Structures are given as C-alpha cells and as structure tokens.
Amino acid sequence: MSWYRNTVWFVKGLREYTRGGYESASKHFNPADVEVDVTGRSFLVTGANSGIGKATAKEIARRGGTVHLVCRNKDRAEVAKEEIVTETGNQNIFLHIVDISNPKEIWKFAEKFQNEHKLNVLINNAGCMVNTRELTEDGLEKNFATNTLGTYIMTTALVPLLEKAADARVITVSSGGMLVQKLNISDLQSGNGPFDGTMVYAQNKRQQVVLTEQWAKAHRNIHFSVMHPGWADTPAVRSAMPDFYERMKNSLRTEAQGADTVLWLAVSAEATKLPSGLFFQDRQPVPTHLPLAYTHSPPEDEEKLMEVLEEFSQKFKSVSSR
C-alpha cells in the first residue's frame, strides 16, 4: 500500500500544501484571531534560529510575548536573536543553547528552566532529516533522537511548569508526510533493512501525532496540538531535500506562511475552543489518516510507544543528574 499512500499524499500536497493552497485557505482566516497582545505570557520555541521556528518567534515577539529561543548552534542563534529584537523592538528575548538530539542536555536545561522561569506555551519545532543512518554520542539514531525522543523529553520535563500556568499550550510542528506512515514500534531506531531518511522522518512525524493524542488524554489542563506547516521554503528543506526543493521551489510557501498555524495555535483564543490533541493544517483540524491507507494503529501499539519513550527518558534523566 505504500505506493498508494505516497501517490495520494503527493497529489494532496500539490493541491493543499503549496503556496497556492495557503493563499486559498487564508481567504477564510479571521485576521483578528492573531491580532492579540500576549505581553506577560512566556513562550519557548525549539529550533528557533531559522525557518518556521524563527518566523514563529518573531511574530510572537511582535505581539509582546516573552520568547525563549532554544537552539543548537550558538552563533546562528545569536544572529537570530539580534534580528528578532531589532525588528520587533521586544527586549524580552532569551537564548538557550541546547542540542535536542542529546537527552541529557534537555533534562539539564529543563530542570534549570523550571527554577528560573514561567512558561505558558511550548512550541516543539526543532527537527532534522538525516538521510544516512547516523548515531548520536548516546548511540541513538539521530532522527529518532531529535524528532521523537527529544520532543518527548522536552515536553514531559516541562509539563509540571505548564501545569502551573494559565491557558497552557503545547504545539508540535509535524508534517503531512506522516500520512504515508503507520506507527511502527518494532524498529524505532531504523536499524532493520535499508535506510530511507525521508520515510524515517515521516515515521517520526507520525510518532509526534500519537504523542500529542496521548498527552491530551493524560494532561487535561494543557491544550495540546500538532500541525503541518505545508511545504515551505526553509533552510532545512533546501539542505535535506534538495531534489524536492528544485522541483517545487517556485510553489513553496514562505516561512511566515508555514508558521501561520503555529502562531494561531499559540496565541489565538479560537484555537483552544477546539478539543485538545488534534492535528491542524491552515488553522483547521484535519484527519490524521488518508482514506484506504490502512495507517491506523491498535491502542496497545500507541501505549507501547509511550512506555518505551518513558524508559529512555528516565534512563537519561538519571544520568544527567549525576
């Protein structure tokens, strides 16, 4: 069925995920939804030094929010911070250098952050698509370490802080590519068979959808959502998918268009009127499975994913605290 899923997803993408799809959908947006003042509210954005993360951070800063930029590369992060401060006039922009593929670093950061700051909104945007099987210093496959385990640890480590906040939200930036994948818990680190970075990434993005649905059930005081930004012209797309970029570059969304739904989910009152745990595209909840694609998973597989990630998480937490 993979050829069917891939074909349907690509046709759907040409229609909905491109710049034309955004322009069509945006005709129905209410501009007032995001014309809000969020002064006094605290936002944490991972992967905030470029692309959709930086575009989101900049728009939140324009609206008066306190923004914590969590980035891996210190030099690029400092440039991004300076750009955001200069363009928005907002001085409440803080920088934290954390490698989201390193679970020990995330735990250390989260424990320190909880002691020093408040948090209303967590935006899990950091991600990677590594096209060969690479292992981190902890022996973790890099895509899994960043996209799935890193997102899991960052979120669960900060849930206690979010539980204390008014109108707490968690938004995870996923991908429509997850529509071509059924949750596979038998090979989370892609060690069996040939390695396809694009499909590994899509599997990670399916895992993020499952995480969001599970968190929504477990933490009723926090509004969880996951979203697809469409096909946007970002540095990550150019470097990780050069062939796709060359083929589609004239119809890709801008970074701001890709970030629009993240911003809407982060600041608008309308977003939290919808149930927690949904998957969004262009400010609307959309299905998480294609028709006839057979990508639904049994509940026990979804529960097993959470169990395995929690085991990893606790192992690295105990190491980080030594």
mmCIF file of all heavy atoms in Angstrom, residues 156-202:
data_model
loop_
_atom_site.group_PDB
_atom_site.id
_atom_site.type_symbol
_atom_site.label_atom_id
_atom_site.label_comp_id
_atom_site.label_asym_id
_atom_site.label_seq_id
_atom_site.Cartn_x
_atom_site.Cartn_y
_atom_site.Cartn_z
ATOM 1 N N THR A 156 7.588 16.387 28.348
ATOM 2 C CA THR A 156 7.261 15.792 29.647
ATOM 3 C C THR A 156 8.050 16.462 30.778
ATOM 4 O O THR A 156 7.540 16.598 31.893
ATOM 5 C CB THR A 156 7.514 14.273 29.646
ATOM 6 O OG1 THR A 156 8.852 13.999 29.220
ATOM 7 C CG2 THR A 156 6.552 13.563 28.709
ATOM 8 N N ALA A 157 9.264 16.921 30.477
ATOM 9 C CA ALA A 157 10.072 17.595 31.507
ATOM 10 C C ALA A 157 9.477 18.948 31.889
ATOM 11 O O ALA A 157 9.639 19.401 33.030
ATOM 12 C CB ALA A 157 11.507 17.775 31.021
ATOM 13 N N LEU A 158 8.768 19.588 30.935
ATOM 14 C CA LEU A 158 8.215 20.920 31.203
ATOM 15 C C LEU A 158 6.726 20.897 31.557
ATOM 16 O O LEU A 158 6.160 21.939 31.899
ATOM 17 C CB LEU A 158 8.454 21.841 29.999
ATOM 18 C CG LEU A 158 9.923 22.203 29.749
ATOM 19 C CD1 LEU A 158 10.070 23.016 28.473
ATOM 20 C CD2 LEU A 158 10.529 22.961 30.931
ATOM 21 N N VAL A 159 6.095 19.727 31.487
ATOM 22 C CA VAL A 159 4.674 19.626 31.848
ATOM 23 C C VAL A 159 4.407 20.161 33.263
ATOM 24 O O VAL A 159 3.437 20.896 33.468
ATOM 25 C CB VAL A 159 4.147 18.189 31.669
ATOM 26 C CG1 VAL A 159 2.925 17.913 32.542
ATOM 27 C CG2 VAL A 159 3.788 17.955 30.207
ATOM 28 N N PRO A 160 5.225 19.840 34.282
ATOM 29 C CA PRO A 160 4.942 20.373 35.625
ATOM 30 C C PRO A 160 4.902 21.902 35.663
ATOM 31 O O PRO A 160 4.093 22.480 36.395
ATOM 32 C CB PRO A 160 6.094 19.820 36.470
ATOM 33 C CG PRO A 160 6.528 18.578 35.761
ATOM 34 C CD PRO A 160 6.365 18.892 34.309
ATOM 35 N N LEU A 161 5.773 22.546 34.877
ATOM 36 C CA LEU A 161 5.778 24.005 34.818
ATOM 37 C C LEU A 161 4.536 24.517 34.085
ATOM 38 O O LEU A 161 3.893 25.486 34.521
ATOM 39 C CB LEU A 161 7.054 24.480 34.119
ATOM 40 C CG LEU A 161 7.348 25.982 34.127
ATOM 41 C CD1 LEU A 161 7.452 26.510 35.555
ATOM 42 C CD2 LEU A 161 8.631 26.266 33.348
ATOM 43 N N LEU A 162 4.184 23.870 32.996
ATOM 44 C CA LEU A 162 2.998 24.255 32.233
ATOM 45 C C LEU A 162 1.727 24.070 33.053
ATOM 46 O O LEU A 162 0.776 24.859 32.935
ATOM 47 C CB LEU A 162 2.916 23.429 30.943
ATOM 48 C CG LEU A 162 3.936 23.797 29.856
ATOM 49 C CD1 LEU A 162 4.094 22.660 28.858
ATOM 50 C CD2 LEU A 162 3.522 25.075 29.132
ATOM 51 N N GLU A 163 1.707 23.045 33.888
ATOM 52 C CA GLU A 163 0.518 22.780 34.714
ATOM 53 C C GLU A 163 0.215 23.943 35.661
ATOM 54 O O GLU A 163 -0.919 24.125 36.086
ATOM 55 C CB GLU A 163 0.721 21.495 35.541
ATOM 56 C CG GLU A 163 0.760 20.208 34.723
ATOM 57 C CD GLU A 163 -0.623 19.626 34.447
ATOM 58 O OE1 GLU A 163 -1.614 20.337 34.661
ATOM 59 O OE2 GLU A 163 -0.691 18.465 34.007
ATOM 60 N N LYS A 164 1.226 24.739 35.970
ATOM 61 C CA LYS A 164 1.045 25.877 36.878
ATOM 62 C C LYS A 164 0.537 27.124 36.151
ATOM 63 O O LYS A 164 0.191 28.115 36.788
ATOM 64 C CB LYS A 164 2.375 26.229 37.560
ATOM 65 C CG LYS A 164 2.977 25.117 38.400
ATOM 66 C CD LYS A 164 4.369 25.541 38.885
ATOM 67 C CE LYS A 164 5.079 24.411 39.630
ATOM 68 N NZ LYS A 164 6.462 24.803 40.005
ATOM 69 N N ALA A 165 0.530 27.095 34.814
ATOM 70 C CA ALA A 165 0.270 28.301 34.030
ATOM 71 C C ALA A 165 -1.191 28.411 33.621
ATOM 72 O O ALA A 165 -1.897 27.413 33.485
ATOM 73 C CB ALA A 165 1.150 28.309 32.787
ATOM 74 N N ALA A 166 -1.609 29.653 33.381
ATOM 75 C CA ALA A 166 -2.944 29.898 32.830
ATOM 76 C C ALA A 166 -2.906 29.680 31.321
ATOM 77 O O ALA A 166 -1.953 30.082 30.656
ATOM 78 C CB ALA A 166 -3.369 31.329 33.141
ATOM 79 N N ASP A 167 -3.939 29.029 30.802
ATOM 80 C CA ASP A 167 -4.070 28.822 29.354
ATOM 81 C C ASP A 167 -2.791 28.222 28.767
ATOM 82 O O ASP A 167 -2.205 28.738 27.818
ATOM 83 C CB ASP A 167 -4.421 30.154 28.672
ATOM 84 C CG ASP A 167 -4.746 29.999 27.186
ATOM 85 O OD1 ASP A 167 -5.009 28.871 26.745
ATOM 86 O OD2 ASP A 167 -4.723 31.028 26.478
ATOM 87 N N ALA A 168 -2.335 27.118 29.357
ATOM 88 C CA ALA A 168 -1.101 26.475 28.900
ATOM 89 C C ALA A 168 -1.342 25.701 27.610
ATOM 90 O O ALA A 168 -2.387 25.060 27.430
ATOM 91 C CB ALA A 168 -0.578 25.531 29.984
ATOM 92 N N ARG A 169 -0.352 25.754 26.728
ATOM 93 C CA ARG A 169 -0.477 25.098 25.427
ATOM 94 C C ARG A 169 0.841 24.440 25.031
ATOM 95 O O ARG A 169 1.912 24.937 25.370
ATOM 96 C CB ARG A 169 -0.867 26.109 24.337
ATOM 97 C CG ARG A 169 -2.047 26.992 24.694
ATOM 98 C CD ARG A 169 -2.401 27.938 23.557
ATOM 99 N NE ARG A 169 -3.401 28.925 23.978
ATOM 100 C CZ ARG A 169 -4.087 29.697 23.154
ATOM 101 N NH1 ARG A 169 -3.878 29.610 21.842
ATOM 102 N NH2 ARG A 169 -4.975 30.561 23.620
ATOM 103 N N VAL A 170 0.737 23.345 24.274
ATOM 104 C CA VAL A 170 1.900 22.713 23.653
ATOM 105 C C VAL A 170 1.568 22.496 22.189
ATOM 106 O O VAL A 170 0.547 21.863 21.863
ATOM 107 C CB VAL A 170 2.260 21.366 24.317
ATOM 108 C CG1 VAL A 170 3.398 20.681 23.551
ATOM 109 C CG2 VAL A 170 2.641 21.567 25.775
ATOM 110 N N ILE A 171 2.403 23.022 21.298
ATOM 111 C CA ILE A 171 2.219 22.858 19.858
ATOM 112 C C ILE A 171 3.440 22.138 19.312
ATOM 113 O O ILE A 171 4.579 22.538 19.577
ATOM 114 C CB ILE A 171 2.065 24.223 19.154
ATOM 115 C CG1 ILE A 171 0.847 24.978 19.697
ATOM 116 C CG2 ILE A 171 1.942 24.042 17.650
ATOM 117 C CD1 ILE A 171 1.203 26.238 20.429
ATOM 118 N N THR A 172 3.224 21.084 18.547
ATOM 119 C CA THR A 172 4.329 20.355 17.933
ATOM 120 C C THR A 172 4.224 20.470 16.419
ATOM 121 O O THR A 172 3.155 20.229 15.847
ATOM 122 C CB THR A 172 4.317 18.878 18.370
ATOM 123 O OG1 THR A 172 4.473 18.822 19.800
ATOM 124 C CG2 THR A 172 5.438 18.097 17.712
ATOM 125 N N VAL A 173 5.326 20.855 15.786
ATOM 126 C CA VAL A 173 5.357 21.008 14.334
ATOM 127 C C VAL A 173 5.682 19.648 13.724
ATOM 128 O O VAL A 173 6.796 19.139 13.849
ATOM 129 C CB VAL A 173 6.399 22.062 13.908
ATOM 130 C CG1 VAL A 173 6.450 22.181 12.386
ATOM 131 C CG2 VAL A 173 6.070 23.415 14.541
ATOM 132 N N SER A 174 4.683 19.059 13.076
ATOM 133 C CA SER A 174 4.840 17.746 12.459
ATOM 134 C C SER A 174 4.960 17.934 10.949
ATOM 135 O O SER A 174 5.556 18.903 10.482
ATOM 136 C CB SER A 174 3.647 16.860 12.840
ATOM 137 O OG SER A 174 3.766 15.573 12.284
ATOM 138 N N SER A 175 4.391 17.024 10.183
ATOM 139 C CA SER A 175 4.460 17.092 8.726
ATOM 140 C C SER A 175 3.360 16.245 8.119
ATOM 141 O O SER A 175 3.011 15.192 8.664
ATOM 142 C CB SER A 175 5.818 16.591 8.242
ATOM 143 O OG SER A 175 5.792 16.355 6.850
ATOM 144 N N GLY A 176 2.846 16.693 6.985
ATOM 145 C CA GLY A 176 1.877 15.871 6.262
ATOM 146 C C GLY A 176 2.483 14.573 5.778
ATOM 147 O O GLY A 176 1.766 13.634 5.431
ATOM 148 N N GLY A 177 3.826 14.501 5.768
ATOM 149 C CA GLY A 177 4.488 13.262 5.383
ATOM 150 C C GLY A 177 4.115 12.095 6.278
ATOM 151 O O GLY A 177 4.214 10.936 5.882
ATOM 152 N N MET A 178 3.643 12.415 7.498
ATOM 153 C CA MET A 178 3.266 11.335 8.424
ATOM 154 C C MET A 178 2.083 10.534 7.890
ATOM 155 O O MET A 178 1.864 9.386 8.307
ATOM 156 C CB MET A 178 2.978 11.891 9.817
ATOM 157 C CG MET A 178 1.758 12.764 9.933
ATOM 158 S SD MET A 178 0.290 11.798 10.389
ATOM 159 C CE MET A 178 -0.978 13.000 10.060
ATOM 160 N N LEU A 179 1.335 11.110 6.951
ATOM 161 C CA LEU A 179 0.173 10.417 6.397
ATOM 162 C C LEU A 179 0.552 9.145 5.626
ATOM 163 O O LEU A 179 -0.282 8.272 5.417
ATOM 164 C CB LEU A 179 -0.614 11.352 5.479
ATOM 165 C CG LEU A 179 -1.342 12.511 6.174
ATOM 166 C CD1 LEU A 179 -1.808 13.532 5.150
ATOM 167 C CD2 LEU A 179 -2.524 12.013 6.998
ATOM 168 N N VAL A 180 1.820 9.044 5.204
ATOM 169 C CA VAL A 180 2.240 7.856 4.450
ATOM 170 C C VAL A 180 2.788 6.766 5.372
ATOM 171 O O VAL A 180 3.224 5.720 4.900
ATOM 172 C CB VAL A 180 3.293 8.202 3.365
ATOM 173 C CG1 VAL A 180 2.771 9.300 2.464
ATOM 174 C CG2 VAL A 180 4.641 8.596 3.983
ATOM 175 N N GLN A 181 2.763 7.002 6.687
ATOM 176 C CA GLN A 181 3.350 6.053 7.626
ATOM 177 C C GLN A 181 2.333 5.555 8.655
ATOM 178 O O GLN A 181 1.577 6.345 9.216
ATOM 179 C CB GLN A 181 4.516 6.705 8.367
ATOM 180 C CG GLN A 181 5.761 6.883 7.525
ATOM 181 C CD GLN A 181 6.513 5.590 7.308
ATOM 182 O OE1 GLN A 181 6.787 4.840 8.235
ATOM 183 N NE2 GLN A 181 6.853 5.312 6.056
ATOM 184 N N LYS A 182 2.376 4.261 8.907
ATOM 185 C CA LYS A 182 1.679 3.667 10.039
ATOM 186 C C LYS A 182 2.693 3.534 11.174
ATOM 187 O O LYS A 182 3.860 3.212 10.933
ATOM 188 C CB LYS A 182 1.137 2.290 9.668
ATOM 189 C CG LYS A 182 0.431 1.565 10.811
ATOM 190 C CD LYS A 182 -0.084 0.206 10.357
ATOM 191 C CE LYS A 182 -0.768 -0.524 11.516
ATOM 192 N NZ LYS A 182 -1.313 -1.829 11.090
ATOM 193 N N LEU A 183 2.260 3.821 12.392
ATOM 194 C CA LEU A 183 3.155 3.710 13.544
ATOM 195 C C LEU A 183 3.830 2.346 13.567
ATOM 196 O O LEU A 183 3.176 1.308 13.501
ATOM 197 C CB LEU A 183 2.366 3.925 14.840
ATOM 198 C CG LEU A 183 3.173 3.836 16.138
ATOM 199 C CD1 LEU A 183 4.195 4.959 16.227
ATOM 200 C CD2 LEU A 183 2.234 3.872 17.336
ATOM 201 N N ASN A 184 5.165 2.369 13.658
ATOM 202 C CA ASN A 184 5.948 1.140 13.694
ATOM 203 C C ASN A 184 6.793 1.138 14.958
ATOM 204 O O ASN A 184 7.800 1.834 15.036
ATOM 205 C CB ASN A 184 6.843 1.051 12.451
ATOM 206 C CG ASN A 184 7.767 -0.161 12.484
ATOM 207 O OD1 ASN A 184 7.596 -1.066 13.307
ATOM 208 N ND2 ASN A 184 8.739 -0.185 11.593
ATOM 209 N N ILE A 185 6.368 0.380 15.953
ATOM 210 C CA ILE A 185 7.107 0.367 17.220
ATOM 211 C C ILE A 185 8.154 -0.736 17.275
ATOM 212 O O ILE A 185 8.896 -0.840 18.249
ATOM 213 C CB ILE A 185 6.153 0.231 18.426
ATOM 214 C CG1 ILE A 185 5.317 -1.050 18.321
ATOM 215 C CG2 ILE A 185 5.259 1.454 18.545
ATOM 216 C CD1 ILE A 185 4.622 -1.412 19.605
ATOM 217 N N SER A 186 8.235 -1.543 16.215
ATOM 218 C CA SER A 186 9.174 -2.669 16.238
ATOM 219 C C SER A 186 10.595 -2.248 15.860
ATOM 220 O O SER A 186 11.546 -2.991 16.096
ATOM 221 C CB SER A 186 8.704 -3.771 15.278
ATOM 222 O OG SER A 186 8.757 -3.312 13.938
ATOM 223 N N ASP A 187 10.736 -1.055 15.266
ATOM 224 C CA ASP A 187 12.060 -0.627 14.800
ATOM 225 C C ASP A 187 12.184 0.884 14.940
ATOM 226 O O ASP A 187 12.388 1.605 13.970
ATOM 227 C CB ASP A 187 12.243 -1.056 13.338
ATOM 228 C CG ASP A 187 13.658 -0.830 12.827
ATOM 229 O OD1 ASP A 187 14.591 -0.774 13.655
ATOM 230 O OD2 ASP A 187 13.827 -0.708 11.592
ATOM 231 N N LEU A 188 12.078 1.377 16.171
ATOM 232 C CA LEU A 188 12.044 2.819 16.412
ATOM 233 C C LEU A 188 13.321 3.525 15.964
ATOM 234 O O LEU A 188 13.291 4.715 15.651
ATOM 235 C CB LEU A 188 11.790 3.106 17.896
ATOM 236 C CG LEU A 188 10.384 2.787 18.415
ATOM 237 C CD1 LEU A 188 10.311 3.045 19.918
ATOM 238 C CD2 LEU A 188 9.335 3.619 17.685
ATOM 239 N N GLN A 189 14.432 2.799 15.931
ATOM 240 C CA GLN A 189 15.697 3.439 15.558
ATOM 241 C C GLN A 189 16.188 3.023 14.173
ATOM 242 O O GLN A 189 17.348 3.197 13.833
ATOM 243 C CB GLN A 189 16.744 3.191 16.633
ATOM 244 C CG GLN A 189 16.308 3.761 17.981
ATOM 245 C CD GLN A 189 17.455 4.004 18.896
ATOM 246 O OE1 GLN A 189 18.372 4.759 18.583
ATOM 247 N NE2 GLN A 189 17.428 3.366 20.056
ATOM 248 N N SER A 190 15.274 2.482 13.387
ATOM 249 C CA SER A 190 15.520 2.237 11.959
ATOM 250 C C SER A 190 16.800 1.452 11.704
ATOM 251 O O SER A 190 17.599 1.801 10.832
ATOM 252 C CB SER A 190 15.564 3.573 11.199
ATOM 253 O OG SER A 190 14.449 4.357 11.517
ATOM 254 N N GLY A 191 16.969 0.385 12.460
ATOM 255 C CA GLY A 191 18.167 -0.431 12.306
ATOM 256 C C GLY A 191 17.980 -1.629 11.402
ATOM 257 O O GLY A 191 18.956 -2.289 11.047
ATOM 258 N N ASN A 192 16.737 -1.900 11.004
ATOM 259 C CA ASN A 192 16.455 -3.073 10.172
ATOM 260 C C ASN A 192 16.196 -2.649 8.724
ATOM 261 O O ASN A 192 15.454 -1.712 8.474
ATOM 262 C CB ASN A 192 15.217 -3.817 10.694
ATOM 263 C CG ASN A 192 15.385 -4.274 12.129
ATOM 264 O OD1 ASN A 192 16.499 -4.525 12.580
ATOM 265 N ND2 ASN A 192 14.285 -4.360 12.857
ATOM 266 N N GLY A 193 16.807 -3.352 7.787
ATOM 267 C CA GLY A 193 16.543 -3.089 6.379
ATOM 268 C C GLY A 193 17.217 -1.825 5.879
ATOM 269 O O GLY A 193 17.963 -1.152 6.601
ATOM 270 N N PRO A 194 16.961 -1.465 4.605
ATOM 271 C CA PRO A 194 17.570 -0.265 4.031
ATOM 272 C C PRO A 194 17.063 0.995 4.715
ATOM 273 O O PRO A 194 15.923 1.057 5.167
ATOM 274 C CB PRO A 194 17.128 -0.313 2.559
ATOM 275 C CG PRO A 194 15.929 -1.205 2.537
ATOM 276 C CD PRO A 194 16.110 -2.188 3.646
ATOM 277 N N PHE A 195 17.924 2.001 4.793
ATOM 278 C CA PHE A 195 17.604 3.243 5.498
ATOM 279 C C PHE A 195 17.155 4.291 4.494
ATOM 280 O O PHE A 195 17.880 4.638 3.569
ATOM 281 C CB PHE A 195 18.834 3.735 6.263
ATOM 282 C CG PHE A 195 18.569 4.918 7.156
ATOM 283 C CD1 PHE A 195 18.199 4.733 8.483
ATOM 284 C CD2 PHE A 195 18.696 6.220 6.669
ATOM 285 C CE1 PHE A 195 17.961 5.826 9.315
ATOM 286 C CE2 PHE A 195 18.461 7.314 7.493
ATOM 287 C CZ PHE A 195 18.091 7.116 8.820
ATOM 288 N N ASP A 196 15.950 4.821 4.687
ATOM 289 C CA ASP A 196 15.404 5.886 3.841
ATOM 290 C C ASP A 196 15.082 7.069 4.747
ATOM 291 O O ASP A 196 14.101 7.049 5.491
ATOM 292 C CB ASP A 196 14.140 5.383 3.123
ATOM 293 C CG ASP A 196 13.526 6.410 2.180
ATOM 294 O OD1 ASP A 196 13.716 7.627 2.410
ATOM 295 O OD2 ASP A 196 12.844 6.014 1.218
ATOM 296 N N GLY A 197 15.920 8.106 4.700
ATOM 297 C CA GLY A 197 15.774 9.236 5.613
ATOM 298 C C GLY A 197 14.421 9.909 5.537
ATOM 299 O O GLY A 197 13.864 10.322 6.557
ATOM 300 N N THR A 198 13.862 10.002 4.332
ATOM 301 C CA THR A 198 12.564 10.652 4.169
ATOM 302 C C THR A 198 11.469 9.870 4.885
ATOM 303 O O THR A 198 10.608 10.455 5.559
ATOM 304 C CB THR A 198 12.213 10.787 2.672
ATOM 305 O OG1 THR A 198 13.260 11.490 2.014
ATOM 306 C CG2 THR A 198 10.908 11.542 2.481
ATOM 307 N N MET A 199 11.513 8.550 4.761
ATOM 308 C CA MET A 199 10.491 7.717 5.407
ATOM 309 C C MET A 199 10.709 7.639 6.918
ATOM 310 O O MET A 199 9.749 7.552 7.690
ATOM 311 C CB MET A 199 10.483 6.313 4.786
ATOM 312 C CG MET A 199 9.925 6.265 3.373
ATOM 313 S SD MET A 199 8.204 6.827 3.242
ATOM 314 C CE MET A 199 8.427 8.461 2.513
ATOM 315 N N VAL A 200 11.967 7.659 7.353
ATOM 316 C CA VAL A 200 12.252 7.694 8.797
ATOM 317 C C VAL A 200 11.684 8.977 9.399
ATOM 318 O O VAL A 200 11.039 8.964 10.462
ATOM 319 C CB VAL A 200 13.767 7.581 9.053
ATOM 320 C CG1 VAL A 200 14.092 7.849 10.522
ATOM 321 C CG2 VAL A 200 14.272 6.199 8.646
ATOM 322 N N TYR A 201 11.905 10.079 8.712
ATOM 323 C CA TYR A 201 11.363 11.372 9.150
ATOM 324 C C TYR A 201 9.837 11.311 9.219
ATOM 325 O O TYR A 201 9.230 11.757 10.205
ATOM 326 C CB TYR A 201 11.814 12.450 8.169
ATOM 327 C CG TYR A 201 11.283 13.830 8.437
ATOM 328 C CD1 TYR A 201 11.904 14.666 9.364
ATOM 329 C CD2 TYR A 201 10.185 14.328 7.740
ATOM 330 C CE1 TYR A 201 11.438 15.957 9.595
ATOM 331 C CE2 TYR A 201 9.709 15.612 7.958
ATOM 332 C CZ TYR A 201 10.338 16.415 8.886
ATOM 333 O OH TYR A 201 9.862 17.695 9.117
ATOM 334 N N ALA A 202 9.215 10.755 8.193
ATOM 335 C CA ALA A 202 7.751 10.645 8.169
ATOM 336 C C ALA A 202 7.253 9.777 9.323
ATOM 337 O O ALA A 202 6.219 10.076 9.940
ATOM 338 C CB ALA A 202 7.294 10.075 6.830
#
